[in-house]
């Protein structure tokens, strides 16, 4: 077994996330960052921004990341792990390029990246790698010495990611009235993406209907449902469902939509539903609006008892899982034999994204992969 405190050759961890507005004046500029290059008019962005304005123009994702940073630093300190943790975002402050520049000036030369996305997909992995390449290119143009950047593997089936969600489903079931609890349906929800993106997610050998994106979510959902059955003695029916669709209506996206699914389950006589947002690390805007607002309103209109279980957030078990993933990757980089920690049928994901993994719509440089522009 590798030394649980040895993280060489790495000298820093970068928490890499999406970012979100922190006040009403930030909403449209934030959405301009997210949609840059798509030619979306500002008036349309103001319409989209209404979701944020309902919550004071503040996305919870930045505070969630601050809480996760605190949890990671506490866990590392408690376990003797000497690894500084930085934070950078794709679309809002603190921006990724600024954070990487700070890391370089602090003397960091081998950086490990934790992305707040547990599954394979273009937007959940490859795009983060492209953003890293863009940031490194910017630092190179400034004449700075570039660090080597590696990305932690997908953690959708790590027990430290799954256990908090299992507990969340159990708590939600316990909140339902006894007369509907045992018959409750479990709806495992994740972000819908275009079917073409899903079909090409993961390594090329895995491409096909739904790709790695759908398979990984189904594996995580089954693991949670099986654990709930083992702990309650009740075999709850379940299904993977989708939310947060956007884009042109003529382009096929993954279905069923969560609200459509609630209507279908109600029509089928299901007495209650627990929605488990397994595709999200934290309770960011799409969880608060699409599930806690829209889906809840649909359930109330139907008279369908509904509970929404918690995301992983800053749960100490997730922080411990990140530490374990770091130690595992560091040992592999040192040439030690490692047995990756993973549950389910799919096993541990790759450490290094291979060529053709979650390909971009148009070729762009990416870091932290077999096709990396920056070694």
């Amino acid at each position: 077994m590798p030394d649980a405190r040895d993280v060489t050759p790495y000298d820093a961890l970068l928490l890499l996330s999406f970012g979100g507005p922190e006040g009403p004046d930030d909403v449209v500029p934030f959405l301009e960052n997210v949609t840059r290059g798509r030619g979306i008019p500002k008036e349309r962005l103001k319409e989209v921004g209404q979701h944020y304005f309902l919550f004071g123009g503040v996305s919870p994702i930045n505070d969630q990341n601050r809480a996760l940073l605190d949890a990671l630093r506490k866990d590392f300190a408690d376990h003797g792990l000497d690894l500084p943790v930085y934070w950078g975002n794709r679309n809002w402050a603190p921006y990724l390029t600024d954070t990487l520049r700070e890391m370089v000036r602090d003397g960091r030369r081998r950086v490990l990246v934790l992305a707040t996305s547990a599954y394979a997909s273009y937007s959940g992995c490859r795009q983060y790698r492209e953003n890293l390449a863009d940031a490194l290119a910017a630092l190179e143009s400034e004449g700075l010495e570039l660090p080597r950047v590696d990305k932690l593997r997908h953690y959708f089936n790590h027990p430290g990611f799954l256990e908090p969600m299992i507990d969340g489903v159990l708590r939600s079931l316990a909140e339902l009235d006894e007369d509907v609890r045992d018959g409750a349906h479990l709806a495992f929800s994740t972000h819908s993406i275009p079917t073409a993106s899903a079909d090409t997610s993961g390594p090329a050998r895995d491409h096909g209907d739904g790709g790695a994106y759908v398979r990984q979510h189904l594996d995580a959902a089954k693991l949670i449902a099986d654990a709930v059955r083992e702990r309650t003695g009740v075999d709850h029916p379940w299904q993977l469902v989708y939310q947060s669709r956007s884009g042109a209506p003529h382009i096929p996206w993954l279905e069923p939509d969560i609200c459509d699914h609630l209507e279908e389950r109600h029509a089928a006589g299901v007495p209650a539903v627990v929605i488990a947002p397994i595709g999200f690390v934290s309770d960011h805007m799409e969880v608060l609006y699409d599930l806690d607002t829209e889906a809840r309103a649909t359930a109330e209109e139907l008279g369908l008892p509904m509970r929404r279980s918690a995301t992983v957030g800053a749960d100490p078990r997730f922080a411990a899982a990140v530490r374990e993933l770091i130690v595992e990757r560091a040992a592999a980089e040192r040439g030690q034999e490692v047995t990756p920690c993973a549950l389910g049928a799919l096993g541990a994901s790759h450490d290094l994204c291979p060529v053709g993994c979650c390909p971009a719509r148009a070729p762009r440089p990416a870091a932290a992969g077999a096709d990396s522009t920056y070694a």
Side-chain angles (χ1 to χ4, degrees), residues 212-230:
Y213 184 75
V214 171
R215 281 196 288 279
Q216 289 174 359
H217 278 89
L218 286 172
D219 199 43
K222 184 178 186 303
L223 286 163
I224 295 169
D226 287 349
V228 169
R229 183 186 65 249
E230 290 167 6

Side-chain angles (χ1 to χ4, degrees), residues 251-368:
I251 297 175
W253 283 54
L254 294 173
E255 296 177 336
D257 173 77
I258 178 60
C259 291
D260 294 340
H261 183 66
L262 292 175
E263 292 176 356
E264 292 166 0
R265 291 299 84 206
H266 178 257
V270 165
V273 173
V274 169
I275 302 176
I278 63 171
F280 306 90
V281 172
S282 65
D283 286 10
H284 58 60
M285 184 55 65
E286 287 168 320
V287 175
L288 292 186
Y289 184 79
D290 296 331
L291 297 183
D292 293 353
T293 305
E294 284 198 326
R296 187 171 301 282
T298 297
E300 289 175 354
E301 288 173 10
L302 296 168
L304 179 65
M306 187 209 91
R307 296 292 184 275
R308 195 271 288 176
S309 67
T311 52
V312 171
D315 190 288
R317 290 167 293 184
F318 180 49
V322 173
R323 169 172 44 82
E324 292 168 7
L325 289 167
I326 292 167
V327 171
E328 170 195 300
R329 179 63 181 274
E333 289 293 311
R334 296 194 301 270
Q336 292 181 242
E337 188 171 341
V338 175
T339 302
C341 182
L343 303 175
L346 299 181
S349 185
H350 47 260
D351 277 337
L352 193 68
C353 292
V355 175
C357 190
C358 303
R361 285 157 285 191
R364 285 184 57 194

Side-chain angles (χ1 to χ4, degrees), residues 54-369:
L54 287 173
F55 297 90
V58 179
S59 168
I61 192 170
N62 281 350
D63 278 345
Q64 290 278 341
N65 282 325
R66 292 184 184 101
L68 180 55
L69 285 170
D70 290 342
L72 290 170
R73 289 166 177 155
K74 181 180 187 306
D75 179 88
F76 292 1
D78 288 347
H79 291 84
L81 214 69
D82 184 16
L83 192 70
V85 185
Y86 295 76
W87 170 35
N89 289 325
R90 283 165 48 172
N91 299 300
W92 202 248
Y95 287 104
L96 170 59
T97 301
D98 296 336
T99 300
L100 271 181
R101 185 183 298 110
E102 177 189 359
M103 297 175 82
V104 168
R105 290 174 175 167
D106 286 348
R108 311 304 175 192
R109 294 293 175 261
R110 286 293 300 270
V111 176
L112 200 49
V113 176
L114 167 68
T116 54
S117 174
Y119 303 87
S121 70
Y122 172 74
S123 58
C125 184
R126 172 81 192 194
Q127 193 171 13
Y128 280 110
R129 294 177 49 227
E130 292 175 353
N131 297 146
L132 284 166
D134 291 344
L136 290 168
L139 299 190
E140 187 175 45
S141 71
E142 297 171 12
L144 296 176
E145 182 179 352
L146 299 185
R148 173 170 165 176
V149 177
D150 294 327
K151 179 178 173 293
L152 285 172
R153 64 177 172 89
H154 302 302
Y155 45 84
F156 66 94
N157 57 3
H158 193 289
F161 182 67
L162 293 169
E163 281 294 334
M165 291 190 291
I166 293 166
D167 285 351
V169 172
L170 291 171
R171 284 194 299 270
S172 292
L173 286 168
E175 292 171 1
L176 292 169
D177 291 341
E178 282 189 43
D179 59 338
V180 299
R181 185 180 305 151
D182 286 354
H185 174 83
L186 308 181
F188 294 105
S189 185
T190 190
H191 204 300
S192 184
I193 61 174
T195 56
S197 294
D199 292 346
T200 56
S201 58
R205 67 176 184 274
D206 295 335
H207 290 176
D209 290 348
Y213 184 75
V214 171
R215 281 196 288 279
Q216 289 174 359
H217 278 89
L218 286 172
D219 199 43
K222 184 178 186 303
L223 286 163
I224 295 169
D226 287 349
V228 169
R229 183 186 65 249
E230 290 167 6
R231 298 179 197 187
T232 64
V234 179
D235 190 6
H236 292 273
W238 62 271
Q239 187 170 338
L240 180 64
V241 300
Y242 302 93
Q243 62 178 88
S244 313
R245 180 196 164 121
S246 61
H250 69 279
I251 297 175
W253 283 54
L254 294 173
E255 296 177 336
D257 173 77
I258 178 60
C259 291
D260 294 340
H261 183 66
L262 292 175
E263 292 176 356
E264 292 166 0
R265 291 299 84 206
H266 178 257
V270 165
V273 173
V274 169
I275 302 176
I278 63 171
F280 306 90
V281 172
S282 65
D283 286 10
H284 58 60
M285 184 55 65
E286 287 168 320
V287 175
L288 292 186
Y289 184 79
D290 296 331
L291 297 183
D292 293 353
T293 305
E294 284 198 326
R296 187 171 301 282
T298 297
E300 289 175 354
E301 288 173 10
L302 296 168
L304 179 65
M306 187 209 91
R307 296 292 184 275
R308 195 271 288 176
S309 67
T311 52
V312 171
D315 190 288
R317 290 167 293 184
F318 180 49
V322 173
R323 169 172 44 82
E324 292 168 7
L325 289 167
I326 292 167
V327 171
E328 170 195 300
R329 179 63 181 274
E333 289 293 311
R334 296 194 301 270
Q336 292 181 242
E337 188 171 341
V338 175
T339 302
C341 182
L343 303 175
L346 299 181
S349 185
H350 47 260
D351 277 337
L352 193 68
C353 292
V355 175
C357 190
C358 303
R361 285 157 285 191
R364 285 184 57 194

